[in-house]
Structures are given as C-alpha cells and as structure tokens.
Amino acid sequence: MNDSLKIPRRKLADEVFDRLYRQLLNGDYRPGDVLPSERELMESFGVGRPAIREAMQALERLGLVAIHHGQRPRVVAPSAEGMLAQIELTAMHMLSTEPASLEHLKEARAFFELGMVARAARNIEDKGIARLEDLVEQQRRALNSDIEAFIAADMAFHVTIAETTANPIFIAVSRAMLDWLARFHASLLHWKGNESITLEEHQRILVALADGDEAAAVREMDLHLTRARTLYLPS
C-alpha cells in the first residue's frame, strides 16, 4: 500500500491540545481564568505529563495561555497584537525568500495608510493633532543629529494616525507592517538625505488633518508614500 495514503497516528499531545482548544473556544475558561493543574489534566485525559506539557506549550505559542514557573497556566485575553505576533516568523520568512513580497507589502501599506488618513481626517480629535504635532517637533529636533530618533518618530507618526480610528486591528496592522519593513529591511532603508523632505511631508499631512480636509490628507499621504517607496531600494 502507498505510504502516502496511510492515516498517521496522532500524538497524545495533539489530542490534548485539541480538547483544551475546544474548551477555550466554547468559553469553558475565560480570559484570566487558570487552567487545571498538570496532575488534574493528566487524570482527566488519562495521559502522562509530557503530553500535557507539550500541549500547553503549543497553546502558549499561539498566545492563548500564559505559563509562569510554579503557577498554573492562565488564559490570556486575545488581542490583535497577539494575533499578528503569531504570523511574524512566517512574514519574515516570506520577505526573505520571495522577492516580490516586499513590493506586495509596500503596496498593501500604501493602500492601508490612505484609508487610515482619510478616516483620521474625519474623526481625529484635538489630542490626536497634539500628538502628531509633538512627533513632528521630535523629528525637527532630531533632524541631522539623531537618525534613530528621527525614524522612531516617523514610524510613530503613522501609527498615531491609525490610533485615531480606535480600531485595535487597524492599529496592530499599522505597527506590524512598519515593524516588518524597518526591522527586516533596515539595511535597505536609505533615510540619509531625505529627512528634511519627510519632515515637510509630515507637516503637510498634519495641516490637512488639522483642517479636517480629507481630500488634501489623502493627496499628501499618497505623495509621501509614493516618494518614500524609492527609499526601499537595494544597495
């Protein structure tokens, strides 16, 4: 018989994982609840300690439980950040092995940012404007003196625009995309010589947002991102 047709026998840890996962989905345990002890789970499922520990580690890797030495595992509240953290390694691998993936990521970021700035122009409050003004000032102080601080304020400027939506998924996606670009392709970011242009573009975006001018905000962000894409060039 062809071995590829055979149904593999599942490990006990996989069975334990499935049962615990179903209990979490069913709401048997809520965020903040502690799970039964290893011994209690061993008795309930009729398996040994290794299977329980392996299943619990799998749940921890998925961000579903937190495990601290000497304590029972605690159910973690799901979050958008946690969800995206689970795909970070896959994203890094894709960016390193698929040449087209960086262009796809830049295109997705531009599409996303234009939507965010349009919504921000409609909804941004005074505290959001004040935060953006502070970040632009941070960039101005770091200009030609502290490139790391300048880049950090640049990224925070874009995340702050996403934060005006009060949508945790939008915020997490904004952070993740910027982080993947900056961390994985740091050696490809040709910031030097473009700081003053970036600062001017951020200032124009800020003015449009402060005026509540959606069309201008989208236009200025589009010009900014189109120009900034030329910074992601191989050396």
Side-chain angles (χ1 to χ4, degrees):
M1 182 177 179
N2 189 334
D3 288 344
S4 65
L5 299 178
K6 293 181 180 179
I7 299 176
R9 296 179 62 181
R10 301 195 73 203
K11 295 193 303 181
L12 288 175
D14 294 334
E15 295 290 347
V16 173
F17 172 89
D18 284 350
R19 294 191 187 189
L20 289 172
Y21 184 65
R22 283 197 297 271
Q23 290 178 335
L24 293 176
L25 288 182
N26 291 337
D28 296 344
Y29 299 101
R30 310 296 298 175
D33 290 348
V34 293
L35 295 179
S37 67
E38 281 187 353
R39 183 168 297 280
E40 291 171 327
L41 291 172
M42 289 163 58
E43 293 176 355
S44 296
F45 297 146
V47 298
R49 181 171 281 107
I52 298 297
R53 289 187 173 177
E54 186 176 339
M56 207 61 67
Q57 289 167 357
L59 290 171
E60 184 182 38
R61 286 194 297 272
L62 291 175
L64 300 176
V65 303
I67 301 175
H68 300 288
H69 182 69
Q71 300 178 14
R72 288 190 291 170
R74 185 176 298 275
V75 180
V76 175
S79 68
E81 286 84 0
M83 174 184 69
L84 287 169
Q86 302 309 314
I87 68 170
E88 183 173 355
L89 290 178
T90 301
M92 296 298 99
H93 180 66
M94 181 182 72
L95 288 169
S96 67
T97 58
E98 294 292 336
S101 62
L102 178 57
E103 285 301 320
H104 293 158
L105 179 57
K106 290 187 292 182
E107 182 181 12
R109 182 207 168 189
F111 185 87
F112 177 82
E113 293 250 16
L114 294 178
M116 290 302 93
V117 80
R119 184 162 175 177
R122 298 192 299 269
N123 302 330
I124 195 166
E125 299 177 351
D126 290 344
K127 63 181 180 180
I129 294 296
R131 171 63 175 155
L132 292 175
E133 289 174 341
D134 179 62
L135 289 168
V136 168
E137 182 57 32
Q138 288 181 38
Q139 288 185 285
R140 185 171 287 109
R141 291 196 301 268
L143 189 64
N144 301 322
S145 63
D146 189 340
I147 189 61
E148 291 186 2
F150 187 92
I151 294 173
D154 187 331
M155 295 173 67
F157 182 91
H158 291 274
V159 172
T160 298
I161 290 174
E163 288 174 342
T164 66
T165 68
N167 184 317
I169 294 179
F170 291 161
I171 298 166
V173 169
S174 177
R175 287 198 179 109
M177 287 195 295
L178 286 165
D179 190 50
W180 294 342
L181 285 170
R183 287 172 53 201
F184 192 80
H185 292 279
S187 63
L188 304 182
L189 300 183
H190 294 246
W191 294 97
K192 189 174 182 180
N194 293 277
E195 296 92 340
S196 60
I197 298 174
T198 296
L199 181 59
E200 292 171 5
E201 291 169 346
H202 279 190
Q203 183 63 52
R204 289 198 293 270
I205 293 169
L206 172 57
V207 169
L209 290 174
D211 291 342
D213 190 335
E214 181 177 342
V218 171
R219 182 178 65 253
E220 295 298 342
M221 180 65 79
D222 189 28
L223 290 170
H224 172 55
L225 295 176
T226 299
R227 197 274 309 166
R229 289 180 68 168
T230 64
L231 300 180
Y232 297 89
L233 296 172
S235 57

